[in-house]
Amino acid sequence: KKRAAVATGRKILTIAYHVLKDKEPYKELGPNYYDERIKTRVINQAIKRLESLGCKVTIESVA
């Protein structure tokens, strides 16, 4: 419980710091923000790994 409280407090302090530093109001990034960041990171790591193994990689988005 204490670890979660410290992590939450740290997150709130980080948000407050950036709001005060940038002098802009807080904007919610949305529920899918971190999922999209991780998705992009995973895709880029997979591309680099395949290219290091000698594969040519082409990415197409499924719509």
Side-chain angles (χ1 to χ4, degrees), residues 1 7 10 16-17 20-21 26 28 35 38 43 45 47 50-51 54 56-57 59 62:
K1 289 182 179 182
R10 182 175 187 268
Y17 169 78
L20 294 171
K21 182 185 83 157
Y26 173 74
E28 180 64 40
D35 290 337
I38 291 171
I43 290 171
Q45 288 173 348
I47 290 169
L50 287 168
E51 288 176 343
K56 182 178 178 182
V57 181
I59 304 295
V62 178

Side-chain angles (χ1 to χ4, degrees), residues 41-59:
R41 188 180 314 149
V42 169
I43 290 171
N44 289 335
Q45 288 173 348
I47 290 169
K48 286 179 185 177
R49 178 72 175 137
L50 287 168
E51 288 176 343
S52 73
L53 294 171
C55 297
K56 182 178 178 182
V57 181
T58 309
I59 304 295

Side-chain angles (χ1 to χ4, degrees), residues 24-37:
E24 292 183 9
Y26 173 74
K27 29 183 179 173
E28 180 64 40
L29 298 174
N32 297 328
Y33 176 73
Y34 290 108
D35 290 337
E36 289 299 318
R37 275 186 59 188

